Amino acid sequence: MISKIEGLVAAPFTPMYADGSLNLSLIPVYADMLIQNKVKGAFIAGSTGEGVSMSFEEKVQLLKAWGKIPKEPLLKIAMVGGNSVQEMKLLAQLAEQLQFDAVAILAPHYFVLNKAEVLAQICIEVGKAAPKTGLYFYHIPVLTGVNVPMVDFLEKMDGQIPNFQGIKYTHHDMMEFNRCLNFAGEKYDILWGWDEVFLGGMAMGARGGVGSTFNYAAPLYHQLIEAFKAGDLVKARKLQEKSIEIVQLLGKYGGIATGKAFMRAIGLDCGQFRLPVQNMTGSQYEAFLEDLNRIDFYQYASKF
């Protein structure tokens, strides 16, 4: 049986200096913070980590920096996806050399991709390039525009390579998510990817999730998980409402870059996002801090 991840996998922000270069010296501190807050793993260089905004060499440097973090107790998954399958394979091989637990690939989204068998072929090639390392597919059609049915994809992948683990599922189709969970007798690890409806994912069967808000609000989700396990759905729903308030601030202040403002607020300054993502102004940050107090954010914030 495939080993399945239970609990929180944070998608770390990539720390940067004021000039936009990588601040790799902050990685050990970042990893310690995640471990302190009982986060199970790190999903590196994904959407939150700005992997798509980095050069190949920068991705290599980032993976090497995280590769120095001991394997225990933090699982490490490297997002190696992009438009170049050759680059995916090279990065997957590097991740294997650095003893990452798994890699994840993103659907190429420049040339049109709408067939499950093509997506499976790409995953198989990458998986064979790093055969000792687990492989996940990162399904996020809202950003890639690629919405191949995931059940069809699992049918094409089933039994093809031994290191295929499953899917990081960041999509709103709950019925499809449930079908993926139950595919071939619950064979594969299907990780939930929508923080603001984490309770809904658990109700459908998710036991592990990958999220950006897990970086700075891990205690909130630990409480939510415990309330769900205890059958206290009233408390679980109230905790999910707190999660939604946090996510609403992301939207209020411009989107994904607001995540780094959350990190700065808890004491870990990761700099700003690169273009084309827009960052908040100084006055907006002051208003943002007031909003954090208004929603009692620090009551549920990760400790640093």
Side-chain angles (χ1 to χ4, degrees), residues 139-288:
H139 183 53
I140 184 166
V142 68
L143 290 182
T144 64
V146 178
N147 196 9
V148 170
M150 284 294 96
V151 176
D152 294 351
F153 166 70
L154 287 176
E155 289 175 348
K156 298 297 183 183
M157 283 299 300
D158 192 31
Q160 294 297 315
I161 50 174
N163 53 329
F164 176 63
Q165 297 289 110
I167 300 169
K168 180 194 176 225
Y169 193 92
T170 307
H171 190 38
H172 53 71
D173 190 334
M174 301 290 279
M175 183 178 76
E176 182 184 62
F177 175 72
N178 183 263
R179 291 185 66 204
C180 290
L181 278 174
N182 290 298
F183 180 84
E186 302 182 3
K187 180 177 180 179
Y188 293 106
D189 190 18
I190 312 298
L191 298 168
W192 184 249
W194 285 104
D195 306 13
E196 58 269 44
V197 283
F198 191 62
L199 178 58
M202 286 194 294
M204 295 299 281
R207 293 297 177 266
V210 181
S212 62
T213 64
F214 301 166
N215 286 287
Y216 45 82
L220 170 62
Y221 293 96
H222 289 312
Q223 291 179 44
L224 195 162
I225 291 169
E226 290 307 310
F228 177 77
K229 287 181 177 179
D232 190 346
L233 294 182
V234 172
K235 182 178 180 180
R237 285 194 292 267
K238 288 181 179 178
L239 291 165
Q240 186 68 81
E241 288 172 11
K242 288 295 180 182
S243 164
I244 290 170
E245 288 180 340
I246 289 171
V247 172
Q248 284 177 326
L249 290 187
L250 292 174
K252 180 177 179 178
Y253 289 97
I256 194 169
T258 308
K260 282 191 172 181
F262 273 104
M263 296 301 291
R264 180 180 171 190
I266 68 168
L268 191 63
D269 192 343
C270 295
Q272 294 191 322
F273 265 71
R274 289 178 171 178
L275 289 171
V277 176
Q278 297 292 295
N279 295 277
M280 65 174 64
T281 63
S283 60
Q284 285 177 319
Y285 182 70
E286 294 304 315
F288 168 75

